[in-house]
């Protein structure tokens, strides 16, 4: 038997090599140039670590112009998109990869554009009868009228939510409780986007639903979010101890079923693929309102989708594997 040991050992080594070579080469794109760059780097590093643990020949690139040249040279089998915000989550990179005929995780170009732009999302929700808070779309020219702010207060009411139209992670989002603070909040939001959304404030529970799948998505456990700040803002999202993810959410069965059904409807409406996260407010009467859809939700150690996956009995590595397989089936 001793004379066979080197051969047996070589057999197992060769088996491992074959397994590694048979796995897809995966590029993790992260970083980028958006206001969410630091979060993207954290998501990308977590995903890369999981892929390497799973045995994939994976590597990472910080997304910039030189990264595009590198993608052209490397031609990876799959790009795992860990980019957040503009020039990453908004269809820009998706369109580039489509033109290069390179597979990537998550939703396609059109879906990414629709979900990233809160104005487009709102219009589509309203047209399709998806419950969403009342709103008004603002452009800079709308503020020329001296009565514009008072009119806005009369139409939307106070408190109101002011949002930059094309940002994530609550960047450029403000809750305004006094009329004299409306204009400054709008001007701050315009620093991040050429359009701003003024939205009715919904008093109630903040909930989020993660979905996994292409045509028939699996709905992961609903999460209720509480925050140390006034709402689940950028600081709360990415600072340990500033938030609590409550699973299962403290809602009744009827509300749960309603939110699950709406989540599936929205996922299909927006043509989401792979995975996405849909944010809700549930008012004190148990009525749900869709806030927005995140097509590349965070994958950091503090993020919601990994928490929902864990609650469903899925490790982070298993979650990453599922996303990879779904991308290759797209």
């Amino acid at each position: 038997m001793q004379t066979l040991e080197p051969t047996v050992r070589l057999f197992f080594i060769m088996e491992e090599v074959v397994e590694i070579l048979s796995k897809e080469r995966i590029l993790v794109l992260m970083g980028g140039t958006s206001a969410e760059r630091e979060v993207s780097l954290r998501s990308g590093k977590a995903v890369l670590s999981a892929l390497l643990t799973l045995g994939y020949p994976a590597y990472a690139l910080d997304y910039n112009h030189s990264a595009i040249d590198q993608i052209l040279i490397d031609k990876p089998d799959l790009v795992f998109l860990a980019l957040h915000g503009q020039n990453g989550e908004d269809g820009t990179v998706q369109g580039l990869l489509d033109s290069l005929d390179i597979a990537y995780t998550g939703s396609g170009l059109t879906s990414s554009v629709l979900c990233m732009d809160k104005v487009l999302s709102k219009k589509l929700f309203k047209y399709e009868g998806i419950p969403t808070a009342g709103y008004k779309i603002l452009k800079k020219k709308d503020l020329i009228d001296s009565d514009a702010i008072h009119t806005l207060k009369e139409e939307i009411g106070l408190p109101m939510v002011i949002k930059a139209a094309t940002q994530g992670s609550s960047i450029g989002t403000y809750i305004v409780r006094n009329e004299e603070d409306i204009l400054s909040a709008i001007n701050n939001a315009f620093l991040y986007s050429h359009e701003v959304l003024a939205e009715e404030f919904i008093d109630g529970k903040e909930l989020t639903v993660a979905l996994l799948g292409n045509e028939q998505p699996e709905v992961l456990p609903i999460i209720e979010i509480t925050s140390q700040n006034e709402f689940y803002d950028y600081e709360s999202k990415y600072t340990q101890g500033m938030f609590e993810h409550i699973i299962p959410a403290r809602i009744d069965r009827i509300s749960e079923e309603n939110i699950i059904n709406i989540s599936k409807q929205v996922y299909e409406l927006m043509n989401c693929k792979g995975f996405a996260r849909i944010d809700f407010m549930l008012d004190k009467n148990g009525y749900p309102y869709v806030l927005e859809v995140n097509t590349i939700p965070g994958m950091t150690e503090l993020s919601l989708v990994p928490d929902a996956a864990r609650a469903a009995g899925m490790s982070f590595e298993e979650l990453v594997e599922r996303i990879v397989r779904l991308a290759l089936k797209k």
Side-chain angles (χ1 to χ4, degrees):
M1 288 293 293
Q2 287 184 337
T3 57
L4 292 176
E5 280 187 4
T7 305
V8 172
R9 191 179 303 117
L10 180 61
F11 172 78
F12 283 116
I13 291 172
M14 290 301 295
E15 194 175 52
E16 288 178 9
V17 170
V18 169
E19 184 181 352
I20 291 171
L21 291 175
S22 68
K23 283 183 176 283
E24 294 82 7
R25 290 186 309 115
I26 300 179
L27 163 62
V28 180
L29 269 190
M30 59 184 186
T33 58
S34 81
E36 298 177 72
R37 172 179 168 79
E38 292 306 315
V39 181
S40 172
L41 289 171
R42 287 162 61 181
S43 286
K45 288 173 183 175
V47 168
L48 178 62
S49 176
L51 289 170
L52 293 173
T53 300
L54 290 164
Y56 285 97
Y59 64 107
L61 283 177
D62 192 340
Y63 182 61
N64 51 38
H65 292 299
S66 62
I68 295 172
D69 294 335
Q70 195 62 48
I71 294 168
L72 286 167
I73 294 167
D74 293 350
K75 272 282 190 177
D77 297 311
L78 178 73
V79 173
F80 197 114
L81 292 175
L83 296 165
H84 305 311
Q86 291 181 320
N87 300 320
E89 198 171 351
D90 59 359
T92 308
V93 179
Q94 290 80 0
L96 170 68
L97 295 173
D98 284 339
S99 69
L100 299 175
D101 197 26
I102 296 175
Y104 53 89
T105 57
S107 298
L109 188 157
T110 304
S111 175
S112 299
V113 171
L114 288 174
C115 294
M116 186 67 189
D117 191 320
K118 294 178 177 64
V119 167
L120 291 176
S121 295
K122 279 284 194 181
K123 288 179 177 179
L124 197 51
F125 293 160
K126 185 175 181 180
Y127 181 81
E128 291 291 336
I130 302 294
T132 190
Y135 66 96
K136 186 174 177 62
I137 301 162
L138 302 174
K139 300 180 185 295
K140 288 186 178 179
K141 65 180 178 62
D142 296 327
L143 302 181
I144 296 173
D145 183 355
S146 59
D147 294 327
I149 298 302
H150 180 72
T151 302
L152 180 64
K153 187 200 83 169
E154 293 300 309
E155 290 181 2
I156 301 298
L158 287 173
M160 72 173 66
V161 183
I162 301 297
K163 294 179 178 179
T166 54
Q167 290 292 328
S169 291
S170 299
I171 292 169
T173 297
Y174 310 92
I175 294 178
V176 180
R177 298 187 180 278
N178 303 302
E179 184 173 349
E180 57 268 26
D181 297 328
I182 295 175
L183 183 59
S184 62
I186 292 172
N187 284 330
N188 285 337
F190 272 127
L191 296 175
Y192 297 100
S193 178
H194 68 282
E195 285 187 312
V196 167
L197 204 62
E199 193 176 66
E200 290 179 355
F201 176 80
I202 307 299
D203 189 14
K205 293 181 185 292
E206 188 166 358
L207 308 170
T208 194
V209 184
L211 298 96
L212 271 175
N214 292 333
E215 278 67 40
Q216 295 181 313
E218 173 189 354
V219 179
L220 300 182
I222 299 171
I223 299 179
E224 178 185 345
I225 305 162
T226 62
S227 170
Q228 295 292 322
N229 289 346
E230 186 175 22
F231 68 104
Y232 194 49
D233 60 6
Y234 186 91
E235 181 186 32
S236 303
K237 282 178 168 71
Y238 304 114
T239 307
Q240 187 69 55
M242 292 288 292
F243 64 87
E244 186 178 1
H245 297 167
I246 301 168
I247 316 174
R250 297 170 296 184
I251 58 178
D252 60 56
R253 184 63 188 170
I254 294 174
S255 295
E256 181 183 6
E257 289 176 356
N258 200 10
I259 288 168
I260 288 171
N261 289 334
I262 294 170
S263 296
K264 290 179 179 178
Q265 186 181 355
V266 170
Y267 196 88
E268 181 179 353
L269 170 67
M270 308 303 270
N271 197 28
C272 295
K273 293 290 186 290
F275 72 129
R277 202 190 76 232
I278 303 172
D279 297 336
F280 286 82
M281 287 299 299
L282 185 72
D283 74 12
K284 293 186 175 180
N285 295 316
Y287 191 79
Y289 296 84
V290 176
L291 297 179
E292 60 187 71
V293 183
N294 302 272
T295 53
I296 308 182
M299 294 288 281
T300 75
E301 69 280 4
L302 302 179
S303 294
L304 289 154
V305 173
D307 270 2
R310 274 191 291 272
M314 197 183 312
S315 70
F316 187 77
E317 288 76 19
E318 288 170 328
L319 172 63
V320 169
E321 180 73 78
R322 285 277 299 275
I323 294 169
V324 166
R325 294 294 115 197
L326 287 164
L328 293 169
K329 288 178 184 175
K330 238 181 356 182

